[in-house]
Amino acid sequence: MRLFVAVEPPDQALDDLDAFLEARRDAGAELRWSSPVSWHVTLAFMGAAADEVLEDLTDRVAGAARRMSPLQLALAGGGCFPDVTRARVLWAGVEGDDGLAPLARAVRSACSVAGAAPAGGPFHPHVTLARLPRPADASRWVRVMETYAGPPWTAGHVALVASHLPREKGHRPRYEVLARLPLADVTG
């Protein structure tokens, strides 16, 4: 089972970024734009988690989330993976609370202990906006994204999500939220 744990930006933040990109998407015919309904900030990705670890995984991620405070974040700026000169992915950045990296570490640790070790390299907070079919220079897109600064918002939970791969070529993965796990409420 393909799973990930993510922070879900609220509709207001997604709508603002979507409106910013709407007038610019036509200039990026070479890009395969992702849908705003799929935008999220991945904290941990498990490409092959066994079904039998799901309950323990959910409990451990919930415990990690409860130990962290809500985060004040904003989508702003952007960049490319692996780099701007041979870009394959265009992304929007995430700014704000310094607690996002510790949250990602805690979630990744919880996943590993549950037997669903996360894949990937170091945590780099971002929202994937588009993919390129082949490596290309995306300098102009990075310059565009550098002008973006979205509204601030509070992240109060993490989501455990199943990623279902498409059955037909040309379709996109479908995401199913399995659980929304609250961060600690330090005001209550």
Side-chain angles (χ1 to χ4, degrees):
M1 150 181 294
R2 290 168 50 94
L3 300 170
F4 63 87
V5 178
V7 170
E8 301 173 296
D11 289 343
Q12 176 191 10
L14 298 177
D15 292 346
D16 189 80
L17 179 55
D18 189 35
F20 174 82
L21 291 171
E22 186 172 347
R24 295 160 175 87
R25 282 190 183 102
D26 288 342
E30 75 280 12
L31 298 172
R32 193 177 79 219
W33 294 95
S34 60
S35 169
V37 299
S38 69
W39 290 346
H40 60 273
V41 181
T42 301
L43 301 173
F45 174 76
M46 292 76 61
D51 291 350
E52 57 267 13
V53 304
L54 186 57
E55 186 175 340
D56 189 37
L57 175 66
T58 303
D59 291 344
R60 290 183 183 279
V61 172
R66 278 193 306 272
R67 291 188 294 278
M68 305 302 286
S69 298
L71 305 170
Q72 300 303 310
L73 304 172
L75 301 177
C80 296
F81 293 131
D83 64 58
V84 72
T85 63
R86 51 191 178 97
R88 292 300 306 255
V89 173
L90 174 68
W91 49 263
V94 182
E95 293 182 346
D97 203 300
D98 291 335
L100 195 54
L103 174 61
R105 281 192 300 275
V107 164
R108 288 175 178 205
S109 177
C111 294
S112 292
V113 171
F123 176 65
H124 186 91
H126 70 280
V127 172
T128 298
L129 301 176
R131 297 186 184 279
L132 289 93
R134 65 191 61 75
D137 187 312
S139 299
R140 69 185 177 106
W141 285 107
V142 171
R143 285 192 299 276
V144 167
M145 290 310 301
E146 285 173 349
T147 69
Y148 180 72
W153 46 279
T154 301
H157 71 273
V158 297
L160 176 60
V161 182
S163 175
H164 304 282
L165 292 175
R167 294 176 191 233
E168 298 177 31
K169 187 175 174 132
H171 289 91
R172 297 182 184 204
R174 180 178 58 84
Y175 299 147
E176 174 188 4
V177 175
L178 303 176
R180 286 191 172 90
L181 309 164
L183 302 178
D185 183 14
V186 294
T187 62

